[in-house]
Amino acid sequence: MSGPRRRRVTVLGLGAMGRALASALLAAGHPTTVWNRTPGRSAALAEAGAEVAGSVAEAVAAGELLVVCLLDDDVTRRVLDRAAPVLAGRTVVNLTNGTPERARRLAEWLTERGARHVGGGIMAVPSMIGQPGSLVLYSGARDAFLDWRDTLAAFGEARWLGTDPGRAAVHDLALLAAMYGMFGGFLHATAMIRAAGVPAGEFAPMVTGWLTAMLGALPAMAAAVDSDTHDADGSSLRMQAASFGNLLAACRDLGVDAGLVRPVRDLLDEAVARGHGEEGLSVLVGLLHTGGTHRPAPG
Ligand code: NDP
């Protein structure tokens, strides 16, 4: 007895991530068509059962769901432009990394052409796709997301963030900011430790343990930001600004560029100068706002 007919999915873009997404769809049994600008990236996918389209328009016409995973917003728009006449009736799930504002503009453009838009943010590397721990964020057209949620589950946990088309993108970019802050800190720390003659591998367990311990502070810091009450909890900004001076002095002595960490010292100094010396780190969040476009986020 055959099961229900599975609707065809098209994947546009077969870079490292697009190939992982297409593989996951095929592994989950979804009929899949693929397209890539440069031919020759689809051999393994074709072997696994993918149809390889010869043009963007052909690929878009083949799938009811379009999963887009290209380099950036500009490329995405240029590629979709070439298939504009056949977009009507399709759901476009754009997993390309991009800005919230560009996601909103793409959603409008697609809606004008009779297509539904769901913006996404992939919080995984290609080897994690379809594996436990893979998380993909989505926002935009709720009915389209619900319609395709079971299919999207092939990539990993599918987490819905609301109807603002840019909401997945802002979460994606904020999480990347947190990740780069951590990696930046690790890279700087490792440069210091190597300059002191210690192998990075010897230091790694120590820095991992320290960062893991510090992670426990984040929920309380978030609560402090939301309630705008910034207790120092034993670690005042005045004290931290003083130790940061030592950190920069040691970098000078070790011959290590302090460019990755100096902005944090500058922010600490500014906070102390503004009278926040006896408060905690969470107060710095308010100093970072510069008054750019900020949209309320519908659910
Ligand atoms: P790759 O660089 O491996 O692939 C880029 C893709 O974009 C290829 O399909 C490439 O086609 C296509 N492309 C680039 N320029 C053009 C163009 N001018 N016209 C048409 N197609 C073009 O990147 P990834 O696959 O790794 O990443 C894709 C997206 O996924 C990015 O937005 C990235 O930020 C996001 N992402 C990636 C992660 C990762 O760890 N890899 C993690 C999370 C998100 P061609 O083969 O012809 O060059």
Side-chain angles (χ1 to χ4, degrees):
M1 211 170 71
S2 64
R5 182 185 77 89
R6 290 195 145 184
R7 297 170 292 175
R8 182 163 285 274
V9 184
T10 287
V11 177
L12 299 179
L14 298 178
M17 186 54 87
R19 289 199 301 276
L21 298 173
S23 295
L25 288 167
L26 290 164
H30 300 288
T32 302
T33 294
V34 295
W35 172 86
N36 194 58
R37 173 183 63 171
T38 309
R41 298 235 182 161
S42 50
L45 294 168
E47 229 166 82
E51 296 285 333
V52 180
S55 70
V56 184
E58 188 190 318
V60 169
E64 292 175 58
L65 170 67
L66 308 179
V67 174
V68 183
C69 193
L70 294 160
L71 186 63
D72 59 22
D73 285 323
D74 284 338
V75 169
T76 298
R77 186 52 199 278
R78 278 206 299 275
V79 167
L80 289 177
D81 242 342
R82 286 154 59 189
V86 282
L87 281 169
R90 274 149 184 85
T91 291
V92 178
V93 172
N94 185 21
L95 299 181
T96 306
N97 182 277
T99 72
E101 203 43 52
R102 291 291 297 266
R104 293 182 191 114
R105 281 182 5 219
L106 181 65
E108 280 169 19
W109 186 84
L110 287 167
T111 304
E112 284 163 12
R113 278 148 193 85
R116 302 186 294 183
H117 167 271
V118 176
I122 303 176
M123 307 322 300
V125 296
S127 61
M128 289 168 67
I129 295 299
Q131 306 298 318
S134 169
L135 169 68
V136 186
L137 311 173
Y138 298 96
S139 70
R142 187 191 299 271
D143 54 346
F145 173 74
L146 294 176
D147 200 9
W148 289 100
R149 181 166 54 184
D150 291 349
T151 305
L152 298 171
F155 304 144
E157 182 191 338
R159 195 173 303 174
W160 177 247
L161 296 179
T163 54
D164 171 4
R167 199 163 159 94
V170 76
H171 281 74
D172 180 354
L173 295 173
L175 288 169
L176 287 183
M179 179 192 79
Y180 282 119
M182 180 194 71
F183 283 143
F186 171 77
L187 296 173
H188 180 84
T190 301
M192 286 179 75
I193 219 74
R194 273 173 45 96
V198 179
E202 190 180 312
F203 178 60
M206 197 182 288
V207 71
T208 303
W210 173 239
L211 289 179
T212 304
M214 289 299 100
L215 279 179
L218 299 191
M221 283 176 74
V225 170
D226 285 340
S227 63
D228 203 18
T229 47
H230 306 283
D231 291 341
D233 196 23
S235 302
S236 71
L237 294 190
R238 174 188 45 72
M239 174 280 290
Q240 296 193 56
S243 23
F244 227 108
N246 296 330
L247 197 166
L248 297 187
C251 289
R252 268 193 305 277
D253 295 345
L254 289 163
V256 171
D257 187 318
L260 282 173
V261 293
R262 196 178 294 111
V264 180
R265 194 277 313 263
D266 293 347
L267 200 57
L268 280 170
D269 285 351
E270 187 189 337
V272 172
R274 288 199 198 184
H276 298 293
E278 298 310 318
E279 296 181 276
L281 273 180
S282 55
V283 79
L284 300 182
V285 172
L287 301 189
L288 290 171
H289 286 292
T290 58
T293 50
H294 178 66
R295 296 202 176 195

